[in-house]
Amino acid sequence: MEKPRQGFWGLFNLSFGFFGIQIGFALQNANMSRIFQSLGTSIDDLPALWVAAPLTGLLVQPVIGHMSDRTWLGRLGRRRPYFLAGAILAALALFVMPLAPVLLFAAVMLWVLDASLNVSMEPFRAFVGDMLRKDQHSAGYAVQTAFIGAGAVVGSIFPWALEHLGVSNVAPGGGIPDTVRYAFWFGGAALFLAVLWTVVSTREYSPEEMAAFDGSRAEVEGETARLLAARGNTSCLVWIAAGLAVIVAVGRFGLEKEVYLLGGLLAGYGLASLIAIRLARRGNASNMLSHIVGDFAGMPVLMKRLAVVQFFSWSALFIMWINTTPVVAQVFYGAPDATGPRFQEGANWVGVLFTVYNGVAAVAALTLLPLLAKRVGKARTHIVGLLCGVAGFASFFAIRDPQWLLLSEIGIGIAWASILAMPYAILASSLPQAKLGIYMGLFNVFVVVPQLLVATVMGSIMKRFFPGEPIWTMAFAAATLLVAAMAMLRVRET
């Protein structure tokens, strides 16, 4: 039995909520370094404060994916309860964040905001796969990417637009300026209303309908439990040993304290795997831990290869989000710290740059990428997109006028569109429908783990080799995108 084909308005309604979610992410990505610096932190401490974002994604996304696969709340459906709950919490966090009186409060609110955005975002990836036929997956993710780009344009440009409307861009005595405060309040309202539109304008297929479309869940889960019970303990012990080695290395080599978190996560995954294997061997494989560990270990080969590409792609993106503000302010506006109007002017220009790359992504997702994919395939299209990003980041070293950075953002925008659309379009048709939520959540682990590495390790690298020179982070971004493009050569479409 085949799912009904969705028309234009069906595709529109399925993804419109992502427009609001991305406004929230754009405000966070473009302004959190600015907020932290405005409240007194140094450039060197930014990665430690940003660690909240990837850590919450790492913990939240697999759990929400697992739960949403098993949820059915009648008319509210399977994925939509999570859209709505996350949107309410994220909107509240956006309203409270710019009122932060001190740095600690802002850091805590970043945890709340990012966790809430992840609760809303993760089920949207599975939602497209739930509702669309396989031959519409590329179109569905392209429309979703277009809304992501459009939402990011709105979120990124708003502080700059408010300044040009006469709103103060410098807070008296320091602190968070009114341009940022009003932008966050607008973003909170827009996020909630956009997600609410998707909730009220769509109807999810019931568990019975999904079974008719895609077969039995029990067969898929039974195979996962069998494979988990058959696993040995060696790999678990390797994970634990690696985590302990990282922890020891922090003290031995004087690394940043945040690297302790990386070691703890490695050891924690090894311990969780040991527990899950023991439970499966005793016949208790129905718990959440066993399902998540089993599905992670049993990912399809195509998903594993795409995961490597995602890992390096998102490393570059997170480097950009953390460091573009200090890079532009220092190198192009001559403001080495967060004091004075030159820093705020540079920070506002970063909002414009982020607007451009997101606008380019929205257009490329609906025009350039589908055309290339039809001619050369989705995998080769993604390679082209990633190489455009390499050129964009590398150009930061050749440009001296901040206005010309708009050209850099065109290449970055094409890469961003491809990263958001092509891997998911390639992957969605190859995954079992009954476990689409958990697999999408686990796939997004390779979005958040590189962010966690950047947040914990990049600070140590920059302090040791490039102290006070954030421009070199753009070289790291270009290099990791190049590695992602090379890894994409191993991906074969099904």
Side-chain angles (χ1 to χ4, degrees), residues 255 457-470 472 476:
L255 304 178
V457 175
M458 183 58 68
S460 296
I461 294 174
M462 294 303 296
K463 280 185 177 180
R464 184 174 293 268
F465 298 106
F466 307 102
E469 298 181 87
W472 288 102
F476 282 97

Side-chain angles (χ1 to χ4, degrees), residues 36 269 335 344:
F36 289 148
Y269 175 71
Q344 298 296 348

Side-chain angles (χ1 to χ4, degrees), residues 210-451:
M210 293 299 291
F213 292 141
D214 300 291
S216 171
R217 172 192 299 275
E219 295 178 4
V220 177
E221 295 190 345
E223 179 67 10
T224 299
R226 185 187 66 78
L227 292 174
L228 180 62
R231 284 184 60 192
N233 295 328
T234 303
S235 62
C236 307
L237 298 176
V238 170
W239 283 105
I240 293 172
L244 294 177
V246 170
I247 291 172
V248 171
V250 175
R252 175 68 177 82
F253 299 104
L255 304 178
E256 296 298 301
K257 297 186 295 298
E258 302 83 46
V259 183
Y260 279 122
L261 179 61
L262 175 61
L265 287 171
L266 293 173
Y269 175 71
L271 181 60
S273 298
L274 277 176
I275 295 171
I277 291 170
R278 288 182 178 273
L279 290 172
R281 289 173 179 172
R282 294 175 182 174
N284 181 15
S286 60
N287 59 86
M288 183 186 298
L289 178 64
S290 293
H291 277 295
I292 292 175
V293 171
D295 290 330
F296 185 80
M299 290 186 298
V301 173
L302 177 65
M303 183 173 171
K304 291 179 180 178
R305 291 180 177 178
L306 280 171
V308 175
V309 178
Q310 288 290 85
F311 177 89
F312 287 103
S313 300
W314 283 84
S315 295
L317 293 171
F318 205 62
I319 289 170
M320 174 185 72
W321 290 329
I322 292 178
N323 295 288
T324 300
T325 295
V327 167
V328 171
Q330 181 187 100
V331 176
F332 296 94
Y333 283 83
D337 54 48
T339 60
R342 290 291 287 173
F343 172 82
Q344 298 296 348
E345 185 180 352
N348 266 10
W349 186 242
V350 171
V352 176
L353 296 177
F354 281 20
T355 299
V356 170
Y357 90 73
N358 282 295
V360 169
V363 174
L366 295 177
T367 56
L368 177 62
L369 296 185
L371 180 63
L372 276 178
K374 182 177 290 187
R375 290 178 177 271
V376 302
K378 292 188 283 290
R380 291 180 179 177
T381 295
H382 195 36
I383 293 173
V384 172
L386 293 172
L387 292 177
C388 287
V390 172
F393 286 121
S395 68
F396 271 71
F397 291 87
I399 292 172
R400 292 294 174 263
D401 185 340
Q403 302 290 327
W404 285 100
L405 289 175
L406 294 171
L407 294 178
S408 306
E409 300 303 317
I410 293 175
I412 294 170
I414 294 171
W416 176 229
S418 190
I419 289 167
L420 290 174
M422 289 298 109
Y424 295 98
I426 294 169
L427 188 63
S429 299
S430 69
L431 296 177
Q433 189 69 55
K435 308 189 78 171
L436 193 55
I438 180 61
Y439 273 134
M440 286 297 184
L442 291 172
F443 190 58
N444 282 331
V445 166
F446 298 95
V447 169
V448 298
V449 166
Q451 297 176 33

Side-chain angles (χ1 to χ4, degrees), residues 16 37 49 59 69 74 80 103 114 136 156 167 175 185 205 236 243 285 293 296 335 372 382 433 439 465:
F16 185 68
Q37 287 185 274
L49 293 169
L59 299 176
D69 280 339
R80 291 178 299 166
L103 184 61
D114 202 83
Q136 284 196 293
S156 298
V167 179
W185 294 340
Y205 297 120
C236 307
V293 171
F296 185 80
L372 276 178
H382 195 36
Q433 189 69 55
Y439 273 134
F465 298 106

Side-chain angles (χ1 to χ4, degrees), residues 6-23 79-80 83 120-121 123-132 136-152 190-191 193-203 365-366 420-421 424:
Q6 296 282 349
F8 170 79
W9 285 110
L11 296 174
F12 180 97
N13 293 336
L14 288 177
S15 293
F16 185 68
F18 229 126
F19 172 74
I21 293 171
Q22 198 60 33
I23 289 176
R79 314 292 182 187
R80 291 178 299 166
F83 303 166
S120 271
M121 181 195 71
F124 259 101
R125 296 293 191 190
F127 190 52
V128 171
D130 286 346
M131 302 300 294
L132 297 180
Q136 284 196 293
H137 283 165
S138 293
Y141 287 111
V143 171
Q144 192 175 88
T145 299
F147 276 125
I148 290 172
L191 186 156
L193 292 174
V195 171
L196 186 63
W197 176 275
T198 290
V199 170
V200 301
S201 65
T202 57
R203 183 193 72 84
L366 295 177
L420 290 174
Y424 295 98

Side-chain angles (χ1 to χ4, degrees), residues 101-166:
V102 294
L103 184 61
L104 178 61
F105 185 89
V108 171
M109 288 311 302
L110 177 59
W111 282 76
V112 176
L113 174 60
D114 202 83
S116 304
L117 290 171
N118 275 287
V119 169
S120 271
M121 181 195 71
E122 198 285 329
F124 259 101
R125 296 293 191 190
F127 190 52
V128 171
D130 286 346
M131 302 300 294
L132 297 180
R133 301 151 50 115
K134 290 185 178 181
D135 61 0
Q136 284 196 293
H137 283 165
S138 293
Y141 287 111
V143 171
Q144 192 175 88
T145 299
F147 276 125
I148 290 172
V153 166
V154 174
S156 298
I157 198 65
F158 211 73
W160 178 87
L162 287 173
E163 181 190 13
H164 284 74
L165 291 174

Side-chain angles (χ1 to χ4, degrees), residues 64 66-85 123 126-127 130-131 198-210 217:
I64 294 300
H66 171 86
M67 292 173 62
S68 69
D69 280 339
R70 289 157 175 76
T71 296
W72 182 253
L73 297 182
R75 295 182 63 180
L76 196 54
R78 174 184 295 102
R79 314 292 182 187
R80 291 178 299 166
Y82 298 94
F83 303 166
L84 189 58
F127 190 52
D130 286 346
M131 302 300 294
T198 290
V199 170
V200 301
S201 65
T202 57
R203 183 193 72 84
E204 295 187 67
Y205 297 120
S206 68
E208 293 76 21
E209 290 173 310
M210 293 299 291
R217 172 192 299 275

